[in-house]
Amino acid sequence: ASAQDWQKRSIYQLVTDRFATTDGSWPYCDTDDRIYCNGTWQGIIRQLDYIQNMGFDAIWISPIVANLEGTTGDGQAYHGYWTQDQTALNSHFGTQEDLLMLSSDLHARGMYLMIDVVVNHMAADTLPPDYALFTPFNEEADFHPFCWITDYNNQTNVEQCWLGDDNVPLVDTDTEDDTIVNFFLDWIAGLVCTYGADGVRIDTVKHIRKDFWPGFAQAAGVFTIGEILDGDVNYVSAYTEVLDAVLDYPTFYQLTYAFESTSGSLSNLVSWVQSAQSTYKNGEFMVGSFLENQDNPRFQSLTTDQALVSNAMTWPFIQDGIPILYYGQEQGYTGGNDPSNREALWLSGYVEDKPLVKLVRVLNAARKAAIAASADFLTTALTFPSVTSSTLAVLKPPMLSLLTNGGSDSTPWWSVSDSGFSAGDELIDVLTCDTLNVDSNGGISVQGIGGMPKIMMPTSVFNATYCNYFL
Ligand code: ABC
Ligand code: CA
């Protein structure tokens, strides 16, 4: 599927080992142990209703290829990022038939599959590594000479030295070598074709020279979204030129700072977003927008104020890019830094009758309704018609979202003089089903309760039955 196809989608990100088991059992899983917990591709198939019921129409699964076996000083390779054999599947997650079945079951539901891939490195459990353990490259000369990354301001150091640590060095592939480059072009084409992947999430993009990526993306032949773990818009922006899309790390940081407490800065969030809109190749349209992922502390490890949580969770669904929700966020998981943020989802019981699960469902419904109602929704850049120290209005017609970081004790007022709607239009808050009419000057003024956000849409475009789900 193309970048345009993905723009309409909403992505559920999951760690295969932690999402669901083949037989539906709920094995003990302590994140601190950093070992495999038995989640599988068959388990994902078993829980596709759970994902689809929330309104997601795409999933991003953790890496699928064979990883180093056994227990290292940093635990086991349950997350899938420690490649040992690029040409075999990780048997902990199932067989080739299982993965093919996942792909075809998704497609039968009209859903997309995104596969996570790692080109930058292979993983070893000794230093120096035993190169003979790697497939297909099994010689020292296939990798950059050993040096740890020590200087993130030196791009050559970032690209040609190694990530990881003494326990698990991430042995840096020589992506300057044509034979290796050509292998990866064939490899990604084959992977996408074999497993019917509709998109690819690319790991450690900033650790490989930029001009490697256009050819790789072309060989993939489907939507590519890269991980550039950096908070700086200008740094990330360069990669918007070489891949279809980037994970929106700069906005992620500002979103977190803005809503993790009642004193966060909403105006910083606004200026970062505006800067990305004007700097990225396709503005903010070609980004993956997220509040949580496998590398950062979950939002609820920073605050458990449910109003702040609800406001922050709303953002990815009302902005210009593609929403991504990391599994477990909807169940209110609170894990901190890696490895605590990779809790087993079965421990939640996959309960759907919960506030945040319902919030996600209505957020997806609102976004889908906006896309269906307006041909321009996906190509109209959001604006901020009102910003105060604790309130924010985000306009992306036919959606006007009202956010606040006042917290659950607050009763915010939003006054938006230019709402983007016409005088007299009836708007519905999709989170409460409350309605109001646009005033004679085209503005609205509305008070919130309990610090909760509002998403206002014309009554004519939002099916009010979705509000009932939320109540
Ligand atoms: C393991 C243990 C951890 C332990 C760690 C040292 O080793 O589990 O408990 O703390 C995989 C596993 C991890 C594992 C690692 C290393 O491998 O999932 O559990 O950690 O063995 C991707 C994936 C990630 C994956 C890998 C490796 C890469 O999303 O899940 O990890 O394939 C760098 C990379 C980034 C990578 C990330 C983990 O490390 O760039 O691609 N993620 C700065 C640097 C970043 C750096 C980041 C973290 O620190 O600039 O490049 O990311 O080390 C902002 C700045 C940023 C700054 C952040 C911290 O602050 O703007 O620049 O990032 O304000
Ligand atoms: Ca590298």
Side-chain angles (χ1 to χ4, degrees), residues 116-193:
D116 201 330
V117 301
V118 186
V119 173
N120 180 62
H121 50 261
M122 312 277 272
D125 55 4
T126 57
L127 188 62
D130 180 356
Y131 292 93
L133 294 174
F134 297 150
T135 308
F137 319 119
N138 54 8
E139 286 171 26
E140 188 171 356
D142 297 325
F143 299 87
H144 290 132
F146 169 69
C147 52
W148 293 125
I149 295 174
T150 51
D151 182 4
Y152 273 99
N153 295 314
N154 175 342
Q155 190 57 28
T156 307
N157 183 264
V158 169
E159 290 174 7
Q160 302 192 6
C161 289
W162 298 13
L163 285 163
D165 57 23
D166 289 318
N167 294 322
V168 183
L170 300 181
V171 188
D172 205 71
T173 318
D174 182 2
T175 45
E176 279 66 41
D177 180 304
D178 283 345
T179 311
I180 289 177
V181 170
N182 287 332
F183 165 81
F184 276 114
L185 300 185
D186 289 346
W187 175 80
I188 191 64
L191 203 74
V192 165
C193 174

Side-chain angles (χ1 to χ4, degrees), residues 2-10 112 223 282 284-287 320-323 367-368 371 377-380 396:
S2 69
Q4 264 80 36
D5 297 330
W6 276 88
Q7 230 197 326
K8 304 188 191 74
R9 300 280 164 153
S10 180
Y112 283 170
F223 177 63
N282 296 300
E284 283 266 77
F285 298 117
M286 281 296 143
V287 305
D320 291 337
I322 303 165
R367 187 172 182 87
K368 285 291 183 294
I371 293 169
F377 179 76
L378 291 171
T379 51
T380 304
K396 192 170 166 67

Side-chain angles (χ1 to χ4, degrees), residues 6-273:
W6 276 88
Q7 230 197 326
K8 304 188 191 74
R9 300 280 164 153
S10 180
I11 305 172
Y12 188 78
Q13 180 201 351
L14 62 86
V15 175
T16 300
D17 182 62
R18 302 296 163 88
F19 178 69
T21 59
T22 298
D23 62 1
S25 62
W26 299 358
Y28 175 80
C29 181
D30 183 343
T31 52
D32 285 343
D33 294 342
R34 301 193 286 192
I35 60 176
Y36 281 98
C37 285
N38 280 331
T40 60
W41 295 315
Q42 282 290 347
I44 303 172
I45 293 173
R46 185 182 265 275
Q47 291 295 345
L48 284 180
D49 281 347
Y50 171 79
I51 298 173
Q52 202 173 20
N53 286 348
M54 282 185 281
F56 293 101
D57 45 18
I59 65 169
W60 150 15
I61 62 173
S62 51
I64 61 173
V65 298
N67 275 216
L68 68 77
E69 283 300 328
T71 304
T72 73
D74 289 337
Q76 299 179 350
Y78 68 90
H79 42 71
Y81 291 97
W82 291 346
T83 309
Q84 192 166 69
D85 183 349
Q86 295 283 12
T87 65
L89 292 177
N90 187 328
S91 59
H92 292 272
F93 305 144
T95 62
Q96 175 163 39
E97 289 64 43
D98 295 335
L99 186 53
L100 288 170
M101 191 183 296
L102 172 60
S103 179
S104 59
D105 281 18
L106 282 163
H107 294 150
R109 291 167 182 261
M111 296 173 73
Y112 283 170
L113 174 63
M114 177 179 283
I115 291 180
D116 201 330
V117 301
V118 186
V119 173
N120 180 62
H121 50 261
M122 312 277 272
D125 55 4
T126 57
L127 188 62
D130 180 356
Y131 292 93
L133 294 174
F134 297 150
T135 308
F137 319 119
N138 54 8
E139 286 171 26
E140 188 171 356
D142 297 325
F143 299 87
H144 290 132
F146 169 69
C147 52
W148 293 125
I149 295 174
T150 51
D151 182 4
Y152 273 99
N153 295 314
N154 175 342
Q155 190 57 28
T156 307
N157 183 264
V158 169
E159 290 174 7
Q160 302 192 6
C161 289
W162 298 13
L163 285 163
D165 57 23
D166 289 318
N167 294 322
V168 183
L170 300 181
V171 188
D172 205 71
T173 318
D174 182 2
T175 45
E176 279 66 41
D177 180 304
D178 283 345
T179 311
I180 289 177
V181 170
N182 287 332
F183 165 81
F184 276 114
L185 300 185
D186 289 346
W187 175 80
I188 191 64
L191 203 74
V192 165
C193 174
T194 305
Y195 298 109
D198 304 286
V200 181
R201 181 271 189 188
I202 307 172
D203 194 63
T204 33
V205 164
K206 75 184 206 185
H207 298 281
I208 296 182
R209 63 193 164 92
K210 292 185 188 71
D211 56 5
F212 170 85
W213 294 116
F216 186 81
Q218 196 187 359
V222 292
F223 177 63
T224 51
I225 183 165
E227 180 223 17
I228 299 98
L229 205 171
D230 206 290
D232 179 28
V233 169
N234 289 312
Y235 186 87
V236 172
S237 181
Y239 296 90
T240 67
E241 307 286 336
V242 296
L243 291 171
D244 286 331
V246 296
L247 291 166
D248 197 1
Y249 257 106
T251 304
F252 155 78
Y253 285 114
Q254 299 308 318
L255 176 63
T256 303
Y257 302 148
F259 290 102
E260 69 186 346
S261 79
T262 54
S263 53
S265 167
L266 298 177
S267 56
N268 280 356
L269 172 62
V270 168
S271 56
W272 249 263
V273 169

